[in-house]
C-alpha cells in the first residue's frame, strides 16, 4: 500500500504539539508493516537542518499566487522514513514558528502557506508532481492540510482516496471568503456542504466534507465531536458523516519514552524494579529547589498552560492540594495570564515549583520523578502525556473526557493490594472541587504502598504502542484503496 502522509509538523524535524508526535511516529509504524509511506511537510529551516540526504525530487513550478515551489526528497533524522519536503522559501523560510511570527501573531498569509502545501500534496496524489511515485491513499491531518482532500476531489481523481484525521476540532483554519480566489478554488465549492462555515472558508471543514474517511485520535473523542459541546459548530456535519468517522487511539514512541532506556534520566528503572524511580524523584526535587521528601507525593503537570488543559482548575485547587501534604511541580507555557498566575502562586511556597517554557529534557525528568501526573483537561482529543506518565509509573489524575477516558482506569485497592486495579484517578465536573477530590483519592492510595506499587506496575504494562494504531489505520487504507491506476489529472481550476 502506497500512502502519502501530509502534515504541517513532525517530530523530530519540527514540533509545536501532539500532531508532530503522531506525524513522526505513525508513518514509521506503517512502514514497518510493509507499506510504502512517505511523509510530506513544509521545508522549514529547522526541518532542513535536521533531515538527511536532501536532494531535489522535482520542480513544481509556480503554485498559488505565483509562488515557485519544488519537492525535496530526504530521509528522517532517526529512521529510514522517506520524506518529501515542500521547498517554497517565500512562504516557509522564515523566523518564528510554523504558524506564527516571532511576535506570536499568526502569519497573515497562512491561507496561502498551507493552501500551497495542500495543493502540492494533491499534485503528488494524482501523479502530477513529477517524482515518479503516486500513492493509493492521501492521509491529511488537521486544518493545515484540510484542503488536500478538497483539491483531490475537485480534480476528479477516483483512483486515489483520502483520509483526514482531526487532532483538535478547536483549530479550524478559518479565513475570509475572499481567499477563495487566491486558493484557486471554484466558487461552487463554497457552500454549506463544502468549504463555507458561517460566511468564512474553513480548511478544517474542507477536510471533513471532502475526505473519503474521517478519523480522530480516540474513540471517545469521535463520539464527543458529534455533540454541540465538543463539535465547535461542525457537529451536524460530523453526525451526518458518522458512518465515515472512526476514532483510533494514538500511540506513543516506546523508543523515546521508556524508563528502562531513557538516557535523560538520572537512573533507569522498569516494571520489575522501581528503585530507580526514587532516585529520579530525589534528583528532580533537588533540581527544582524542593526539599527531598521521599514520603511526600510529588504531583507534576507538563503541558500547555491554557484553560483547555484545565490550568485554571489547578490554580484554584493548588492551595488545598498542598494541605493534603503534597508537592506540586509545573512545566509549561501558554496563556500569559496563567503563566503569571502560577508563577505568583509558587512565591513563598517551598513545596511548589513552576518552570515556564518548553523543555523536552526536563519533561522527561519530571514525568519520571513525579508520583502523580495532573491532566485535568476540559477536552482532550487523545492526549499523549498521560500515556507517557503511565509508562513511567506516574499515575495520572485526569478529567473523564476524550482520550483520557479511553486510556485511564480508576485505581482502587479494592479488597486489598492483591486485588488492586486501575491505572489512575478520574473526575467528571470541570471544577476545582472535583479535581481536589480525585487528588485526595490518589494521596490516600499512595499511603497504601503495596496497592500503589501494583497500580504503578499495571500502568507501566499498558499497550500504547503505535503498532496497534498502525493496524487499525492499515485496515482503513485497505478498505478504501481502489483497484487499478488512472492517468494523470491536472490539478488546476479557474480562480473563483
Amino acid at each position: 500500500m502506497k500512502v502519502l502522509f501530509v502534515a504541517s509538523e513532525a517530530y523530530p524535524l519540527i514540533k509545536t504539539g501532539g500532531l508532530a508526535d503522531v506525524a513522526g511516529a505513525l508513518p514509521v509504524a506503517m512502514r514497518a508493516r510493509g507499506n510504502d509511506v512517505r511523509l510530506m511537510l513544509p521545508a522549514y529551516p529547522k526541518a532542513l537542518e535536521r533531515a538527511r540526504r536532501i536532494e531535489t525530487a522535482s520542480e513544481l513550478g509556480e503554485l498559488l499566487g505565483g509562488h515557485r515551489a519544488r519537492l525535496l526528497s530526504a530521509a528522517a533524522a532517526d529512521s529510514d522514513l522517506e520524506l518529501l519536503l515542500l521547498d517554497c522559501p517565500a512562504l516557509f523560510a522564515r523566523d518564528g514558528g510554523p504558524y506564527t511570527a516571532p511576535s506570536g501573531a499568526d502569519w497573515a498569509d497562512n491561507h496561502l502557506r498551507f493552501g500551497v502545501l495542500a495543493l502540492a500534496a494533491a499534485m503528488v496524489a494524482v501523479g502530477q508532481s513529477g517524482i515518479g511515485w503516486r500513492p493509493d491513499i492521501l492521509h491529511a491531518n488537521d486544518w493545515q492540510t484540510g484542503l488536500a482532500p478538497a483539491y483531490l476531489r475537485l480534480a476528479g481523481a477516483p483512483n486515489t482516496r483520502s483520509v483526514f484525521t482531526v487532532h483538535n476540532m478547536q483549530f479550524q483554519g478559518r479565513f475570509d471568503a475572499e481567499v477563495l480566489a487566491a486558493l484557486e478554488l471554484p466558487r461552487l465549492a463554497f457552500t454549506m456542504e463544502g468549504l463555507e462555515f458561517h460566511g468564512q472558508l474553513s480548511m478544517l471543514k474542507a477536510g471533513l466534507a471532502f475526505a473519503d474517511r474521517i478519523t480522530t485520535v480516540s474513540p471517545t473523542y469521535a463520539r464527543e465531536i458529534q455533540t454541540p459541546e465538543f463539535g465547535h459548530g461542525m457537529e451536524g456535519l460530523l453526525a451526518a458523516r458518522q458512518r465515515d468517522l472512526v476514532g483510533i487511539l494514538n500511540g506513543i514512541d516506546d523508543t523515546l519514552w521508556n524508563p528502562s532506556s531513557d538516557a535523560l534520566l538520572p537512573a533507569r528503572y522498569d516494571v520489575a524494579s522501581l528503585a530507580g524511580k526514587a532516585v529520579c524523584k530525589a534528583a528532580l526535587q533537588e533540581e527544582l529547589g524542593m526539599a527531598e521528601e521521599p514520603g511526600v507525593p510529588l504531583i507534576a503537570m507538563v503541558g500547555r498552560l491554557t484553560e483547555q488543559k484545565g490550568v485554571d482548575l489547578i490554580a484554584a485547587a493548588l492551595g488545598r492540594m498542598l494541605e493534603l501534604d503534597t508537592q506540586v511541580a509545573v512545566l509549561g507555557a501558554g496563556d500569559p495570564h496563567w503563566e503569571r498566575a502560577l508563577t505568583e502562586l509558587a512565591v513563598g511556597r517551598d513545596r511548589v515549583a513552576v518552570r515556564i517554557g518548553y523543555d523536552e529534557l526536563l519533561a522527561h525528568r519530571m514525568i519520571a520523578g513525579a508520583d502523580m501526573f495532573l491532566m485535568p483537561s476540559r477536552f482532550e482529543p487523545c492526549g499523549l502525556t498521560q500515556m507517557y506518565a503511565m509508562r513511567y509509573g506516574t499515575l495520572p489524575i485526569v478529567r473523564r473526557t476524550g482520550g483520557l477516558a479511553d486510556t485511564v482506569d480508576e485505581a482502587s485497592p479494592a479488597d486489598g493490594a492483591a486485588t488492586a486495579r486501575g491505572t489512575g484517578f478520574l473526575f467528571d465536573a470541570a471544577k476545582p472541587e472535583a479535581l481536589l477530590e480525585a487528588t485526595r483519592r490518589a494521596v490516600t492510595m499512595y499511603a497504601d504502598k503495596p496497592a500503589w506499587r501494583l497500580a504503578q506496575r499495571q500502568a507501566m504494562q499498558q499497550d500504547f504502542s503505535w503498532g496497534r494504531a498502525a493496524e487499525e489505520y492499515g485496515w482503513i487504507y485497505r478498505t478504501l484503496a481502489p483497484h487499478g491506476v488512472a492517468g494523470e489529472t491536472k490539478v488546476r481550476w479557474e480562480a473563483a
Side-chain angles (χ1 to χ4, degrees):
M1 185 74 65
K2 293 185 289 185
V3 181
L4 176 65
F5 195 96
V6 56
S8 56
E9 57 182 87
Y11 182 84
L13 298 172
I14 189 162
K15 175 178 176 178
T16 69
L19 170 61
D21 291 318
V22 177
L26 179 56
V28 174
M30 292 297 304
R31 187 176 178 86
R33 278 151 183 78
N35 297 286
D36 181 1
V37 183
R38 304 191 187 187
L39 170 63
M40 181 175 176
L41 69 158
Y44 305 112
K46 287 184 179 179
L48 292 172
E49 290 173 9
R50 295 167 182 172
R52 300 179 295 124
R53 301 199 305 267
I54 300 174
E55 298 178 352
T56 298
S58 70
E59 297 288 344
L60 298 179
E62 293 186 354
L63 301 184
L64 308 177
H67 290 94
R68 181 164 291 280
R70 62 176 178 162
L71 283 175
L72 305 176
S73 64
D78 57 349
S79 72
D80 62 352
L81 179 64
E82 294 185 58
L83 305 177
L84 289 173
L85 302 178
L86 178 63
D87 187 36
C88 185
L91 296 177
F92 299 116
R94 302 176 178 180
D95 295 331
Y99 318 121
T100 58
S103 66
D106 288 348
W107 293 111
D109 59 351
N110 269 347
H111 63 288
L112 277 176
R113 299 173 74 235
F114 296 109
V116 164
L117 176 62
L119 179 59
M123 292 172 69
V124 174
V126 299
Q128 192 191 333
S129 66
I131 64 172
W133 179 85
R134 178 176 178 177
D136 303 299
I137 302 292
L138 166 63
H139 189 155
N141 294 268
D142 268 354
W143 72 264
Q144 295 91 345
T145 58
L147 284 180
Y151 282 126
L152 185 61
R153 177 77 65 84
L154 294 168
N159 288 297
T160 301
R161 304 290 172 80
S162 60
V163 175
F164 181 63
T165 298
V166 182
H167 299 261
N168 193 328
M169 285 292 299
Q170 185 177 31
F171 305 110
Q172 301 185 343
R174 294 169 62 174
F175 301 94
D176 290 341
E178 287 73 19
V179 306
L180 199 68
L183 294 171
E184 298 182 10
L185 289 164
R187 178 66 62 176
L188 61 87
F190 191 70
T191 65
M192 288 181 61
E193 294 74 26
L195 307 173
E196 188 269 339
F197 186 70
H198 295 289
Q200 294 182 300
L201 181 148
S202 167
M203 292 186 176
L204 180 78
K205 189 183 178 190
L208 298 176
F210 287 99
D212 294 299
R213 188 67 55 87
I214 303 166
T215 73
T216 192
V217 291
S218 73
T220 294
Y221 193 59
R223 294 189 295 271
E224 288 177 339
I225 61 177
Q226 298 178 57
T227 69
E229 182 179 2
F230 297 97
H232 296 278
M234 297 189 186
E235 59 274 5
L237 171 59
L238 289 162
R241 297 210 62 192
Q242 61 180 304
R243 291 188 177 182
D244 299 319
L245 171 62
V246 62
I248 299 175
L249 191 68
N250 281 341
I252 61 174
D253 188 337
D254 193 61
T255 63
L256 293 175
W257 292 93
N258 188 332
S260 68
S261 58
D262 193 336
L264 303 177
L265 306 185
R268 300 176 189 178
Y269 58 96
D270 58 28
V271 69
S273 175
L274 291 166
K277 188 167 177 62
V279 177
C280 291
K281 180 176 181 178
L284 179 63
Q285 289 169 325
E286 180 180 4
E287 180 177 1
L288 297 179
M290 294 174 149
E292 185 177 336
E293 299 179 284
V296 173
L298 173 54
I299 307 173
M301 185 268 188
V302 177
R304 288 187 291 114
L305 304 183
T306 64
E307 291 190 9
Q308 182 222 318
K309 295 293 185 179
V311 67
D312 55 314
L313 305 181
I314 295 173
L318 182 61
R320 287 174 286 175
M321 283 184 186
L322 297 175
E323 292 173 3
L324 297 174
D325 195 22
T326 65
Q327 294 178 326
V328 178
V330 176
L331 168 65
D335 187 324
H337 167 74
W338 293 115
E339 291 181 355
R340 290 192 300 270
L342 288 173
T343 301
E344 291 169 4
L345 284 169
V347 174
R349 285 180 158 136
D350 58 4
R351 284 189 166 184
V352 180
V354 175
R355 298 290 184 269
I356 302 300
Y358 178 77
D359 187 333
E360 184 83 6
L361 307 186
L362 180 55
H364 279 249
R365 295 194 294 273
M366 283 183 65
I367 289 173
D371 299 296
M372 304 160 195
F373 187 80
L374 280 180
M375 201 164 176
S377 305
R378 280 183 163 75
F379 68 93
E380 193 63 59
C382 177
L384 297 175
T385 45
Q386 84 279 10
M387 291 189 263
Y388 299 152
M390 284 187 276
R391 189 71 182 84
Y392 283 62
T394 304
L395 302 192
I397 302 170
V398 303
R399 184 162 177 260
R400 199 187 316 269
T401 184
L404 302 178
D406 290 328
T407 53
V408 181
D409 294 320
E410 182 69 25
S412 169
D415 298 324
T419 56
R421 62 180 184 273
T423 57
F425 306 89
L426 297 99
F427 64 97
D428 293 297
K431 296 180 179 180
E433 294 76 16
L435 169 59
L436 188 65
E437 174 55 31
T439 306
R440 185 177 290 109
R441 296 197 307 274
V443 171
T444 298
M445 189 170 173
Y446 181 79
D448 184 347
K449 293 305 181 187
W452 186 263
R453 290 288 181 261
L454 183 57
Q456 283 182 299
R457 290 187 170 100
Q458 290 175 158
M460 294 174 75
Q461 294 179 84
Q462 297 300 300
D463 180 11
F464 295 128
S465 67
W466 273 111
R468 169 196 43 77
E471 288 293 336
E472 295 187 57
Y473 277 108
W475 180 84
I476 290 175
Y477 295 161
R478 289 191 295 272
T479 62
L480 287 177
H483 299 288
V485 178
E488 291 189 356
T489 304
K490 189 168 179 60
V491 188
R492 281 289 190 181
W493 302 271
E494 294 297 323

